[in-house]
């Protein structure tokens, strides 16, 4: 098991895992975690100035530990790079185990890239940073 410190910043998203999220092995589907990673990254991109963003890439995601039903999963995001119309977000996933309570474990990390688009034309549009 890889030991790493939990991020000090607030998570972009926290989600409890339910029976609908699990496979026949009682672990959460990887696709469920990827979907939440995408949602968390998009929410973070929005705070950085993306009005309407679409996902254009997600890098290699390697699951280090399984996630179980009842785990509270937190998705921590950090801006890696902002271009004229795109933003790359690092997404760190942690699971707080239901049993034993309070155990926080690193599940995976990935990067997603989003493009800010115009809501009418759906073409790339410059990112306007908050406060600028």
């Amino acid at each position: 098991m890889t030991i790493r410190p939990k991020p000090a910043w607030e998570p972009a998203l926290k989600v409890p895992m339910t029976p609908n999220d699990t496979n026949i092995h009682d672990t959460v589907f990887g696709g469920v975690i990827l979907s939440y990673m995408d949602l968390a990254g998009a929410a973070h991109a929005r705070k950085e100035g993306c009005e309407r963003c679409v996902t254009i890439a997600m890098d290699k995601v390697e699951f280090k530990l399984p996630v179980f039903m009842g785990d509270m999963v937190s998705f921590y995001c950090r801006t890696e790079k902002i271009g004229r119309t795109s933003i790359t977000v690092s997404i760190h996933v942690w699971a707080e185990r239901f049993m034993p309570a309070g155990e926080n474990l690193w599940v995976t990390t990935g990067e997603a890239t989003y493009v800010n688009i115009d809501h009418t034309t759906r073409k790339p549009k410059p990112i306007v940073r908050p406060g600028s």
Side-chain angles (χ1 to χ4, degrees):
M1 173 170 61
T2 304
I3 304 294
R4 75 173 37 192
K6 193 163 106 174
W9 59 91
E10 288 296 311
L13 183 66
K14 282 182 92 159
V15 184
M17 296 294 107
T18 67
N20 289 339
D21 301 321
T22 61
N23 59 31
I24 61 171
H25 305 293
D26 292 328
T27 59
V28 173
F29 286 107
V32 169
I33 300 298
L34 289 172
S35 177
Y36 284 125
M37 288 175 76
D38 194 17
L39 285 169
H44 179 80
R46 187 134 185 196
K47 285 183 179 178
E48 293 285 358
C50 287
E51 293 174 33
R52 181 177 294 229
C53 62
V54 294
T55 310
I56 61 162
M58 190 171 271
D59 78 349
K60 176 182 167 188
V61 175
E62 182 180 329
F63 295 98
K64 302 298 183 181
L65 292 173
V67 176
F68 300 106
M69 182 183 72
D71 285 355
M72 179 62 76
V73 182
S74 297
F75 300 83
Y76 297 87
C77 297
R78 181 178 63 215
T79 301
E80 293 299 325
K81 181 176 114 182
I82 296 181
R84 191 176 75 78
T85 63
S86 67
I87 180 171
T88 301
V89 178
S90 176
I91 307 158
H92 306 259
V93 182
W94 286 75
E96 182 178 350
R97 292 280 186 242
F98 179 66
M99 297 298 284
E103 186 179 29
N104 284 289
L105 302 168
W106 173 60
V107 174
T108 191
T109 299
E111 268 189 6
T113 302
Y114 303 91
V115 170
N116 189 40
I117 61 167
D118 181 87
H119 93 283
T120 306
T121 65
R122 300 203 180 267
K123 295 195 187 277
K125 159 182 172 173
I127 295 170
V128 178
R129 301 292 307 270
S132 56

